[in-house]
Each structure stands twice: as structure tokens, then as C-alpha cells.
Amino acid sequence: RKEVEQDPGPFNVPEGATVAFNCTYSNSASQSFFWYRQDCRKEPKLLMSVYSSGNEDGRFTAQLNRASQYISLLIRDSKLSDSATYLCVVNKRGSQGNLIFGKGTKLSVKP
Amino acid sequence: GAGVSQSPSNKVTEKGKDVELRCDPISGHTALYWYRQSLGQGLEFLIYFQGNSAPDKSGLPSDRFSAERTGGSVSTLTIQRTQQEDSAVYLCASREVGAGAHTGELFFGEGSRLTVL
């Protein structure tokens, strides 16, 4: 089983839609979880950290389910500018500092 | 500059040649990472340096790949006897690790695009 798995998509949604991405991880001892965003031919950038209690940043909500070992990202009221690839990131098995990226879920928001 | 700097931004080489890719992390960042990304693919972990600890080299795909980090700052990724499958964007990232630091955020360079003919 891969350390981090994501649905590759693409997710094609209209503006204003709500879209959710899931990510599963294999290391039950993982402590650090993040969502990164990568625009086409650009480097990844941090979107948000994921906390145990769940957290929200504007239109974005991240949740962690430790029992099922998955992380989710919810985007409400999608904007054209949300079109990007969303990367799930978890610390590597046996290392709190080393971070492993999922392959990403591509989102395309259409007018 | 204030960000992670990588060079060269583009490198075209012939199969069998050696290449060196350089990463200059953000000053004060003790953690440094190398990843590679093939076209349309995700980020593949290569190697991780943290302070004076032994690096985690578990992601290096073969013994043709090696990396050093001198003085806890600049890092060089070396690929010997390049193969066509080595063609990818090589991304370097750094992170500040320590009490009170904003842990977790990796700051990436713009990458070095390697093409092996």
C-alpha cells in the first residue's frame, strides 16, 4: 500500500460548486498532515495544515479521521482561481520531519 | 533573495553524462528536501537533510544518485551516468524546524528541469 493515496481526478466542477477531496495514508503513527496546492508548471505551496479537530480557512475546510486514516479537503463556492492540483502531505513512516506527497488531485473549475 | 534558489533552471544533457543540481535554501532553515516530479506525475521523495543528523536517503532511486549538504546550507544533487528516465523537474524545499517555528510549511524552489537526450 502506498504511503499516501489520492484520487487523481480530474474533478471538473462549475463555479460556485462545493467539491471534496479525500486522501488516505498508511502510517497509523503519522502526526503531521497538510494540503498543498500546485498550479500548472509551478512549485507546490502550502494551502493549509490539518489539525485533529478539523480546521477552516475561509472557503476551505480540512478534516482528519485518524481511525480510518484519511484526510479530507472541502472547497465551498469554487472559484476559477481554485483550478489547480491539490496535494495531500503526510510525514513519512519513522520520521516526523520527512514529508511524503500524494500524487495529487486535479481540480478544474469552469465558468 | 529570500526564497529557495535552485540552479540551473534548465539542463539538457546527453545520456551517460553526469549532472549537478544546486539548491540554496532559505537562511536558517535546518531541513532540506529533494523531490523530483516527472511530467504529469506527483512528487517523488529523494532525500531529506535535517541539521547534523544522517540524511534520509531512502528515496534515491539508484546508486547513480547522491546528494550533499555542506555547512548545513547549500545542497548539491548529483546524478551520474544520466539515463533518459532521469528526465524530470528536480525540486528542492527547505523548512524551519524548531521551537516556535511554523512547522510543516515547505518552501520550494522553482525547480531544475532536467532533460536527458
Side-chain angles (χ1 to χ4, degrees):
Chain A
R1 181 181 176 186
K2 293 181 180 177
E3 288 203 55
V4 182
E5 294 199 68
Q6 296 183 248
D7 182 341
F11 284 56
N12 297 308
V13 303
E15 269 188 294
T18 295
V19 61
F21 307 135
N22 286 331
C23 165
T24 58
Y25 60 95
S26 62
N27 180 15
S28 60
S30 291
Q31 295 293 325
S32 303
F33 310 92
F34 312 93
W35 284 100
Y36 276 69
R37 169 192 169 131
Q38 186 174 26
D39 293 298
C40 188
R41 301 179 76 85
K42 295 286 190 180
E43 69 275 18
K45 293 186 179 178
L46 179 67
L47 177 66
M48 58 197 302
S49 302
V50 184
Y51 302 120
S52 296
S53 55
N55 48 299
E56 185 175 310
D57 183 1
R59 297 181 295 108
F60 299 84
T61 300
Q63 291 192 318
L64 169 64
N65 184 320
R66 286 190 182 274
S68 301
Q69 294 179 213
Y70 81 78
I71 308 152
S72 64
L73 176 68
L74 183 76
I75 305 176
R76 291 182 299 277
D77 190 23
S78 299
K79 311 292 185 189
L80 296 177
S81 57
D82 294 335
S83 297
T85 295
Y86 291 83
L87 306 169
C88 174
V89 184
V90 178
N91 65 282
K92 185 174 181 286
R93 185 185 302 274
S95 171
Q96 288 303 314
N98 199 351
L99 301 178
I100 300 298
F101 283 71
K103 292 191 179 299
T105 299
K106 187 172 182 179
L107 173 66
S108 181
V109 182
K110 305 292 187 183
Chain B
V4 176
S5 177
Q6 291 188 245
S7 62
S9 54
N10 278 287
K11 176 71 176 180
V12 180
T13 191
E14 293 179 347
K15 178 181 173 181
K17 301 278 189 176
D18 297 352
V19 296
E20 282 191 354
L21 307 177
R22 175 189 167 104
C23 173
D24 199 343
I26 292 173
S27 178
H29 282 193
T30 58
L32 186 148
Y33 307 73
W34 283 98
Y35 296 88
R36 75 174 176 182
Q37 188 170 32
S38 301
L39 186 64
Q41 301 299 309
L43 272 72
E44 177 187 3
F45 164 71
L46 296 177
I47 188 168
Y48 162 57
F49 296 91
Q50 171 50 43
N52 295 321
S53 302
D56 179 349
K57 303 181 181 180
S58 61
L60 294 178
S62 77
D63 59 7
R64 296 186 296 105
F65 288 73
S66 62
E68 291 184 340
R69 188 177 186 192
T70 55
S73 182
V74 172
S75 178
T76 301
L77 177 69
T78 301
I79 310 172
Q80 296 178 310
R81 305 182 301 282
T82 53
Q83 304 294 313
Q84 287 184 332
E85 61 263 28
D86 299 336
S87 297
V89 176
Y90 289 80
L91 289 161
C92 175
S94 71
R95 183 167 77 123
E96 183 180 8
V97 178
H102 178 195
T103 59
E105 183 164 10
L106 297 182
F107 291 87
F108 282 85
E110 294 185 345
S112 292
R113 182 176 299 275
L114 175 66
T115 302
V116 182
L117 301 177

